[in-house]
Amino acid sequence: MKKLLSLLLALTMILPLVGCAAFAENADPIMITVIATSDVHGKVLPINYATGEPSPNVGLSMIASMIEQVRATEKNVILVDGGDTVQGSAMTYYYSYFAPEKDDPMMKALRLMDYDMWCLGNHEFNNDLPILKRQIEYVMSPDNGEEHSVPMSAANFVAQGTEWDSWMGVPYIVKEFEGVKVGVIGMDTPNIPAWEVESHYEGIDFRNLVPTVEHFVPILREQEGCDVVIVVAHSGVEDAVSTDGNNPADYENQVRAMINLTTGIDAVVYGHFHNTDYREDILNAEGKVVPVLAGGGGEGLGFMKLAYDPATKTVTPVTAENGYRFLADQEGLVENQKVATALAPYNEELQAYLDQPLGTATGAFSNENISLQPTALMDLLNKAQLSAVPAQLSICAPLTSGANVRDLIPAGDVPMRLLYQLYVFENWLYRVNMTGEQLRLWLEHATTNYTSASNPDYLGGGYYTDEIYGLYYEIHYYAPEGQRIQNMQYQGQPVAPDQVFSVVMNNYRFTGGAGFMQAAGLTPEDYSLTDLYTGDTLGNDNGQVRNILAQYIRDQKEITPTVESTWQFFRTKEDAIAAGAKVVE
C-alpha cells in the first residue's frame, strides 16, 4: 500500500510538469516590440527655431503620434531613448539656463510619452553638471497626473570610489510581458572626458561597454530571471574591434566590440551616429546574430520586433518588420495634442527670447564653399571669439558646412534665433599657447577630414576641417599627407617652427575632440598650455560661444560680410600653378 501511495504521489507531481512541457513545446512565440528614438537634440516641437517656420518631419510631439499607433497595434512594447536628448535647440538651451525654476520641456515630453528608459548621451554633459542633475531628478520624479516617471540609465557611469554603484539613475530596468522577463541596460560612450571640462562630469568613473555587459548580464539572467536582454547604448558601431574589451580600439564607439566579445545580449539599440539603419550582421562571441537598431536623429522612430520562443528560450528578430520609420513617410500624421498643449507655454516664452534684435547685417553671410575658401561667415565667428579672448590667432571649425540654408545670416535685422543655426553647440573658449609647428600639424590633421570612407567623393569637410584666423597658409590637397600645409605666414613673415602664438579654441578641441590636440603633439586638457577660460571669465552662460557671438553683434550694431582671411586651398597642382603658388612635388 505504501509503495502504491508513493507511486500515485510521484505521478501527481510529474503529470503537471509533463503538461507544462507540452504547453511550452506547442506555445506560440511571444512578441516583444522595441521602439526607439535617439539624438533628438532638443527637437521637441516641429518648429525650425532659426526661422520660426513649421518643420513637420522632426520632433517628439510628432513622434508621439507614431508611438501611439504602435502601442495600439502591438501588445508588448518597450519605448527607449538613446541619448543626446536635451542639447541642440533653442528650446532646451533657454530652459536650461534662463528658466531653471521651470520643469525641463524635453524631460516633460519624455514623461508625457511614458518612456520606459532614457539613456544619457555625451551631449547631456555639455552644460553645467547641476543642470543635468536637475533634469535627471525631474524625469525620474514620481508620476504626476499624465506625467510618468522615466528611469534614466547609464550603467557604465559608476560613482567614484565604488565598484559598480550607479552615478545617478539605475543600471537597468526589468519589464514583464506574458510571463517573459525583459531586462534593458542603458549605457553611454565613456569618451566624455575627451570632450568636456572636468567640472561637467565630476564624480563619475567611466567604464567601457564590454566589462559593463559582463557585469550586468549575469545579474539580469541569474538574479532577475530575465529571458531577454536588450542594451541601449549611446555609442556608435565601430569599424574595427580590439581583442581586449577593456582597451577597445575605438574608445568612443564600442557597440561592435560589446557584441563580438560577449554573450547574453539579444538585441541592441544604439545612438550617437544619428543613423537610421537596422542590421543583423554582427555576431556575438558564440557566433549568434545580435540585431542592431539605430535610433535616428529625431526624424522618426526605430522599430524592432523580437520573437521569444518559450520552448527553446531563444530570441529571433522579426526581420521583415524591423527598421526605421520616418515621420516624412507617415500619411496623415498630426501632432500629438497632449504633448503639444503641455509645451505650448514654453514655446510662447521662448519665441520672445528668440525675437530679440542683436543688430543689422548690411549683406548676406553665406556658407557656400565654407571649408574650401575664406568666408565672411567664418571671419565673423573668429572675430567674435577674439573679442572675448584676446589672442593672436583663432581656431574655428565650419560648423555650418552641411546646412541646407546658404545664407546663414541674411541681409537685414539679425535676431537671436539665427545664431542657433549658425553655432549649434554649447562650447566655451580657451586661450592656448602653441608653436608654429604645432599649428602646422593642426592644419595637416584638418586636411585628412575633407573626405571620409563613407563618402570618398565629398570634398568640403565639416566639423573637422578647422581654419585658423590670423595666419596665411596654403592647403595643397593633392600633396601627400604631412606636406599639405605650406607657406605659413604671420603678419607677412614666415612662421618659425618654434615661434609661440596665443590661440583661442573651444573646449571641445582643447579636451581632445576629433584628435586635433593629439595630432599637434599636445596632451588634451594640458592646463599648463592655457591661461584663460571663458567659463571662468564670463560665466557659463555669457562665456558660451553662441552668446559671445550675440554680444559681439550687439556691440558692433552693424556687421558687414567682408572677407579678411587670405589662406588658399589648392585641390590640384594646376590650381596651385594658376594661383602662382610653389607646387609641392
Side-chain angles (χ1 to χ4, degrees):
M1 180 61 74
K2 288 183 179 179
K3 289 182 179 179
L4 181 59
L5 289 173
S6 297
L7 179 60
L8 290 171
L9 179 61
L11 286 171
T12 60
M13 296 176 66
I14 291 170
L15 285 172
L17 293 176
V18 173
C20 286
F23 172 77
E25 185 177 348
N26 297 319
D28 291 331
I30 295 167
M31 299 299 175
I32 309 295
T33 299
V34 182
I35 50 177
T37 54
S38 186
D39 300 281
V40 177
H41 283 288
K43 295 187 285 289
V44 63
L45 295 175
I47 297 171
N48 182 336
Y49 288 113
T51 63
E53 297 298 318
S55 184
N57 294 328
V58 298
L60 284 184
S61 63
M62 294 295 292
I63 295 171
S65 294
M66 293 181 68
I67 292 169
E68 282 191 344
Q69 292 177 354
V70 174
R71 283 174 168 158
T73 57
E74 306 291 340
K75 288 191 299 182
N76 308 319
V77 179
I78 299 173
L79 172 62
V80 299
D81 182 82
D84 276 7
T85 311
V86 295
Q87 180 279 334
S89 78
M91 172 75 83
T92 50
Y93 184 84
Y94 179 83
Y95 286 99
S96 290
Y97 280 92
F98 300 128
E101 74 284 356
K102 296 186 178 179
D103 293 336
D104 183 273
M106 187 61 76
M107 298 296 97
K108 181 178 286 290
L110 296 184
R111 287 168 60 85
L112 287 167
M113 295 163 69
D114 201 10
Y115 272 77
D116 292 296
M117 175 184 283
W118 171 43
C119 175
L120 293 181
N122 56 291
H123 280 288
E124 264 65 76
F125 291 86
N126 286 169
N127 294 326
D128 299 339
L129 194 54
I131 292 174
L132 176 56
K133 287 183 175 180
R134 185 173 74 235
Q135 291 162 341
I136 293 171
E137 288 167 357
Y138 169 46
V139 80
M140 293 187 66
S141 63
D143 293 358
N144 182 14
E146 291 188 298
E147 294 188 19
H148 300 281
S149 179
V150 179
M152 183 284 289
S153 183
N156 61 321
F157 289 6
V158 178
Q160 283 183 351
T162 71
E163 188 173 0
W164 281 105
D165 291 351
S166 294
W167 165 69
M168 286 190 75
V170 298
Y172 59 79
I173 62 170
V174 177
K175 305 281 289 185
E176 186 167 348
F177 305 103
E178 302 179 53
V180 177
K181 283 190 173 183
V182 182
V184 186
I185 308 170
M187 289 189 280
D188 193 1
T189 174
N191 206 40
I192 287 166
W195 300 319
E196 299 297 335
V197 295
E198 190 172 0
S199 62
H200 287 194
Y201 57 85
E202 186 178 6
I204 304 174
D205 278 339
F206 297 91
R207 307 284 170 84
N208 287 326
L209 271 58
V210 170
T212 305
V213 166
E214 291 173 336
H215 177 76
F216 283 108
V217 167
I219 292 174
L220 286 173
R221 295 285 187 184
E222 298 163 16
Q223 296 182 25
E224 300 286 359
C226 289
D227 305 289
V228 181
V229 173
I230 299 166
V231 170
V232 183
H234 189 84
S235 182
V237 180
E238 70 278 34
D239 294 326
V241 176
S242 168
T243 56
D244 182 358
N246 290 300
N247 298 285
D250 187 337
Y251 197 60
E252 175 181 354
N253 304 301
Q254 301 183 13
V255 168
R256 187 183 295 275
M258 177 188 70
I259 296 171
N260 285 170
L261 303 178
T262 69
T263 60
I265 301 173
D266 293 303
V268 173
V269 174
Y270 79 97
H272 193 53
F273 275 10
H274 297 208
N275 280 357
T276 57
D277 60 349
Y278 169 78
R279 55 198 300 175
E280 295 180 10
D281 61 333
I282 304 178
L283 308 180
N284 73 4
E286 296 177 337
K288 173 190 171 183
V289 169
V290 176
V292 176
L293 175 71
E299 70 275 31
L301 191 65
F303 182 97
M304 180 164 55
K305 184 179 283 189
L306 306 171
Y308 175 75
D309 188 334
T312 61
K313 300 186 184 304
T314 56
V315 179
T316 305
V318 184
T319 302
E321 296 190 41
N322 294 346
Y324 195 83
R325 303 178 179 184
F326 289 90
L327 282 166
D329 297 333
Q330 311 304 309
E331 293 185 9
L333 193 74
V334 296
E335 193 175 13
N336 180 279
Q337 287 307 301
K338 180 173 71 173
V339 178
T341 300
L343 296 182
Y346 289 84
N347 185 58
E348 184 177 346
E349 182 176 339
L350 172 65
Q351 293 299 335
Y353 161 74
L354 292 175
D355 284 336
Q356 62 176 296
L358 301 176
T360 304
T362 62
F365 287 74
S366 171
N367 70 346
E368 185 176 8
N369 293 326
I370 195 170
S371 295
L372 304 177
Q373 64 185 20
T375 61
L377 191 60
M378 287 299 294
D379 282 1
L380 175 67
L381 282 168
N382 280 300
K383 286 187 286 189
Q385 291 189 167
L386 289 168
S387 73
V389 181
Q392 294 168 283
L393 307 173
S394 176
I395 293 176
C396 191
L399 301 178
T400 62
S401 64
N404 294 325
V405 180
R406 176 167 292 180
D407 294 336
L408 272 295
I409 300 179
D413 293 339
V414 182
M416 185 69 189
R417 68 173 66 252
L418 288 180
L419 272 57
Y420 282 86
Q421 182 171 250
L422 179 59
Y423 203 97
V424 298
F425 298 109
E426 279 68 63
N427 290 144
W428 293 260
L429 299 175
Y430 282 97
R431 182 166 61 197
V432 179
N433 292 317
M434 298 177 66
T435 66
E437 176 63 7
Q438 289 164 347
L439 291 169
R440 186 189 72 80
L441 292 172
W442 192 285
L443 290 169
E444 283 284 352
H445 183 63
T447 69
T448 67
N449 296 317
Y450 279 95
T451 62
S452 66
S454 61
N455 198 355
D457 296 326
Y458 175 66
L459 184 64
Y463 291 2
Y464 305 125
T465 53
D466 290 12
E467 302 173 14
I468 301 181
Y469 178 84
L471 277 187
Y472 172 79
Y473 54 92
E474 296 168 1
I475 303 172
H476 293 254
Y477 190 70
Y478 61 87
E481 289 185 21
Q483 301 178 44
R484 291 172 171 170
I485 303 303
Q486 299 289 329
N487 197 19
M488 290 174 58
Q489 297 178 28
Y490 176 68
Q491 295 183 349
Q493 300 298 315
V495 172
D498 59 352
Q499 188 174 354
V500 178
F501 294 88
S502 58
V503 185
V504 56
M505 66 178 67
N506 68 33
N507 64 284
Y508 180 75
R509 287 291 186 261
F510 179 70
T511 54
F516 278 86
M517 288 286 282
Q518 298 92 324
L522 299 171
T523 302
E525 287 192 281
D526 181 354
Y527 291 101
S528 67
L529 299 171
T530 182
D531 59 1
L532 188 150
Y533 171 58
T534 56
D536 294 333
T537 58
L538 298 175
N540 281 306
D541 179 30
N542 292 332
Q544 190 266 116
V545 178
R546 189 188 303 113
N547 292 329
I548 287 172
L549 177 60
Q551 190 57 50
Y552 178 79
I553 297 172
R554 288 190 194 99
D555 293 342
Q556 296 296 311
K557 296 183 176 60
E558 186 177 272
I559 54 175
T560 299
T562 55
V563 180
E564 299 176 8
S565 295
T566 56
W567 60 268
Q568 297 188 76
F569 181 94
F570 307 128
R571 184 171 186 174
T572 65
K573 286 184 180 181
E574 290 71 24
D575 292 339
I577 293 170
K582 182 179 179 180
V583 173
V584 178
E585 300 293 347

